[in-house]
Amino acid sequence: RMVMKKSKTIGVLVPDITNPFFSTLVRGIEGVLYRENFVTMLCNADLDTKKETDYLEELSRRGVDGYIIASSAISNQAINDSLRKKNLPYIVLDQKKAEGYSDAVLTDDLSGGKLAGEHLNQLGHQKVAVVLPENATENIQTRLTGFQKIYPNAVLVHAELSKDGGRQAAKEIVKADVTAIFAINDELAFGLYLGLADVEKRIPQDYSVIGYDNIDMCEYVTPQLTTIAQPIYELGQTTANLLLERVEQPEKNWEEKTLPVQLIKRFSTARLK
Ligand code: RIB
C-alpha cells in the first residue's frame, strides 16, 4: 500500500476507555494502523462534548491524516466545521451515527436485540426488563427495537451505561414483576450481578440475565454471562482498513459495512421454573 501523507497519524475518539469494549476496539484499529506505519492517537471523550470538540480541533491542528469517531458526543456541527468543510477523511462507528457524508461500519444491532429476545422467549420468560441509558445512542436504540419485536411490553429500566449503572438498576428491577433482564451491554450486566447480590437475589435462579458485546470478562464471572457477541476486534480492523482506503482514495464512493452478531449461550440464563 502506497500512502504519501504528512503525519502518518490517525485520531481515534472513543466515549469511555474504561469499558473493555473500547479497548478491544482500539486494539483492532491500532493493529492495522501499526502494520501500515501509522500512529494511533487516542482521545477519550468521557461523554463530554466540550472535550470532544477540543480534541477534534487539536487533532486537526496537528495535521492528522484521518479520524475514527466512535463517540456520539461529537456533534454533526463540529464534524461539519472541523472535518467535512476541510475535506478531512473520517469514519464513524458504534455510538456515532452515520449521516451519509462518510464511510461507516455498523454491527447488526437489530438482529442482536432480536436474538436476545428470542433466547429469553425460548426459555419461557414472559415478563422481562431491559436496562439501558435514558438517552440511548442510535445503535443502542436499534438494539432495543429488535428486542421489542419479541417483547413489545418489556419494562424499561434506565441506567448510566456502566457497571455502577447496572448495580443501581438492580434496585428498580426487584420492584418490577419480571423474571429475565436484557442488559444493553455487558458492563451493565456485571453491575447487575453485584446489585442483585446486594439484595440476595441469584442469577439465574431468580433472574436470567443476558448481556451484549461479549467482552472477555463474560467468561470470568460466575455464572458465566450469556450475551450477544459483537465482533469487536474485527470491527476495529474493518474500520481502520476502510479509513486508510479513504486516505488513499479521497474521491471514491462512500461505503457502509455491517458486521454480524451472534448469541453466545452461557450460564446466566435458564428456563423459567
Ligand atoms: O459497551 C459499550 C457499548 O456501547 C457497546 O454495546 C457498544 O456497542 C457501544 O455502543
Side-chain angles (χ1 to χ4, degrees), residues 5-257:
K5 287 283 163 172
K6 35 191 180 347
S7 69
K8 300 277 284 188
T9 304
I10 300 293
V12 179
L13 290 107
V14 299
D16 175 13
I17 198 63
T18 70
N19 180 340
F21 173 89
F22 293 104
S23 45
T24 302
L25 180 77
V26 171
R27 183 63 187 79
I29 294 171
E30 180 268 336
V32 169
L33 294 181
Y34 175 77
R35 201 183 61 220
E36 302 293 336
N37 301 314
F38 276 78
V39 170
T40 304
M41 200 173 277
L42 179 62
C43 303
N44 174 58
D46 274 338
L47 310 170
D48 174 340
T49 309
K50 162 108 174 49
K51 214 174 158 188
E52 299 222 353
T53 317
D54 288 350
Y55 270 140
L56 214 52
E57 277 170 20
E58 186 53 36
L59 289 170
S60 131
R61 251 194 300 279
R62 288 168 189 240
V64 306
D65 297 308
Y67 301 76
I68 293 174
I69 303 170
S71 173
S72 67
I74 291 255
S75 69
N76 293 328
Q77 178 74 44
I79 291 190
N80 202 18
D81 295 345
S82 306
L83 308 181
R84 251 181 78 202
K85 283 188 186 153
K86 301 178 190 160
N87 265 328
L88 296 169
Y90 70 92
I91 182 165
V92 298
L93 77 153
D94 198 59
Q95 296 191 3
K96 186 63 194 170
K97 180 181 187 286
E99 297 293 335
Y101 302 108
S102 71
D103 299 305
V105 185
L106 302 116
T107 60
D108 192 350
D109 284 293
L110 192 72
S111 299
K114 262 173 78 181
L115 284 171
E118 281 161 4
H119 175 64
L120 296 179
N121 197 250
Q122 275 162 13
L123 293 173
H125 294 279
Q126 309 284 327
K127 297 175 180 169
V128 303
V130 184
V131 181
L132 80 172
E134 185 158 16
N135 295 307
T137 51
E138 182 100 1
N139 62 332
I140 287 175
Q141 283 292 347
T142 307
R143 232 168 261 178
L144 174 65
T145 303
F147 189 79
Q148 285 172 328
K149 295 207 188 291
I150 316 296
Y151 289 108
N153 300 320
V155 176
L156 303 186
V157 174
H158 290 132
E160 186 196 87
L161 196 62
S162 67
K163 292 192 283 297
D164 190 54
R167 186 177 190 179
Q168 302 302 330
K171 296 175 192 147
E172 294 301 311
I173 295 281
V174 293
K175 289 188 223 151
D177 178 23
V178 300
T179 59
I181 311 164
F182 175 29
I184 218 80
N185 78 353
D186 291 341
E187 292 264 285
L188 280 171
F190 299 145
L192 285 170
Y193 274 52
L194 192 54
L196 290 172
D198 287 342
V199 290
E200 273 149 37
K201 298 291 181 194
R202 294 156 309 163
I203 303 168
Q205 295 88 338
D206 299 314
Y207 295 97
S208 280
V209 174
I210 181 167
Y212 203 103
D213 285 348
N214 197 33
I215 57 178
D216 290 351
M217 279 304 289
C218 295
E219 282 193 290
Y220 293 82
V221 292
T222 309
Q224 292 183 330
L225 183 65
T226 296
T227 194
I228 305 297
Q230 300 203 64
I232 310 175
Y233 194 79
E234 189 192 338
L235 180 63
Q237 291 179 312
T238 306
T239 305
N241 278 316
L242 203 53
L243 181 66
L244 291 184
E245 285 171 26
R246 171 67 52 198
V247 169
E248 279 180 64
Q249 290 175 264
E251 304 303 329
K252 74 182 174 96
N253 290 337
W254 300 131
E255 268 187 71
E256 184 174 294
K257 293 191 179 175

